[in-house]
Amino acid sequence: EAAARSVTDSWAQADALTQVAEALAHAGHHQQAEATARSISVSSFQVNALIRVAETLAYAGHHQQAGAVAMQAEATVRSSNDPVWQANTLARVAGALAHAGQVQQAEALARSITDPYAQAAALAKVAGALAHGGRYQQAGATARSINEPGAQADALAQVAEALASAGQHQQAGATAIQAEAAARSVIDPGLRAGALARVAHALAHAGQYQQAQATARSITDPDVQENAM
């Protein structure tokens, strides 16, 4: 940390301190990680560091502290005058809150985002967190409420994989098929190929191997198809 603070360029110092904060969080020095993140003078780097620390805390099971750190990040993001950065970063904050177990707050934050694509990405993160937390019905409902088909396909694929991991293969297969329908409605061919590859993986995870192969073969981009197979 001392070496990072000795860097004279403010942006380079902010980047170095972000890495220090994340490393401290991974090492279990949570309080010091949080303090280091908060000390970063460049707001965009500070927010990024706070989100990373919050995510690390959540994965380590420190949900209350993770939620508090994520809320600090949200407060800083809300003060930004850059609407695009604000929307995309709020989506990340929503994901961090969801992984911290503050799902209701995460979903409310996601739905407050006015940019439709950022909102969809945020809701997909919330649905994934709900699914991995065993709240499959709520996760599916959140996923199906997403209006952007690519994000909906990703969210449903996450739900399907969580269901399959829990041994609920029939429901997982049905959810993965819903994900495929959403993926096929993506207009952009490149994005559609990526969405279908994601669905093919979910179908295979759910034990629907024949359907997974058929979905992978239907991808028109040869490189994406090869990876999906």
Side-chain angles (χ1 to χ4, degrees):
E1 185 173 350
R5 293 198 185 281
S6 71
V7 177
T8 54
D9 179 83
S10 60
W11 286 73
Q13 184 191 84
D15 183 47
L17 286 171
T18 299
Q19 294 177 52
V20 169
E22 189 173 12
L24 284 165
H26 278 295
H29 302 294
H30 303 140
Q31 203 165 359
Q32 192 178 348
E34 187 181 341
T36 300
R38 279 201 312 268
S39 75
I40 298 171
S41 57
V42 181
S43 61
S44 59
F45 281 92
Q46 183 191 89
V47 167
N48 185 40
L50 286 169
I51 292 171
R52 288 188 186 183
V53 170
E55 290 170 343
T56 303
L57 285 165
Y59 286 122
H62 300 283
H63 292 142
Q64 189 172 354
Q65 191 179 352
V69 174
M71 286 170 67
Q72 290 175 43
E74 180 187 355
T76 304
V77 176
R78 294 277 186 200
S79 65
S80 170
N81 294 320
D82 182 341
V84 175
W85 179 81
Q86 184 184 74
N88 290 327
T89 310
L90 283 174
R92 291 183 61 207
V93 173
L97 282 168
H99 284 293
Q102 301 192 18
V103 179
Q104 191 172 357
Q105 188 173 350
E107 186 163 356
L109 171 57
R111 294 196 185 281
S112 77
I113 299 170
T114 54
D115 179 272
Y117 292 100
Q119 183 190 89
L123 287 170
K125 292 176 189 293
V126 172
L130 283 164
H132 289 294
R135 296 162 70 175
Y136 307 119
Q137 194 169 357
Q138 190 179 351
T142 300
R144 284 187 289 273
S145 76
I146 298 171
N147 293 322
E148 199 281 310
Q152 186 186 83
D154 176 57
L156 287 168
Q158 290 185 68
V159 176
E161 288 171 349
L163 284 163
S165 295
Q168 299 185 34
H169 291 103
Q170 188 173 356
Q171 194 176 349
T175 304
I177 289 167
Q178 291 174 27
E180 181 174 5
R184 292 203 180 278
S185 67
V186 175
I187 296 170
D188 181 273
L191 295 176
R192 183 170 61 248
L196 286 169
R198 178 77 180 85
V199 169
H201 182 273
L203 283 162
H205 199 67
Q208 305 281 332
Y209 302 115
Q210 197 170 353
Q211 178 86 16
Q213 275 197 328
T215 300
R217 286 198 190 98
S218 74
I219 298 170
T220 55
D221 183 305
D223 293 329
V224 178
Q225 184 191 75
E226 185 180 354
N227 288 331
M229 295 292 286

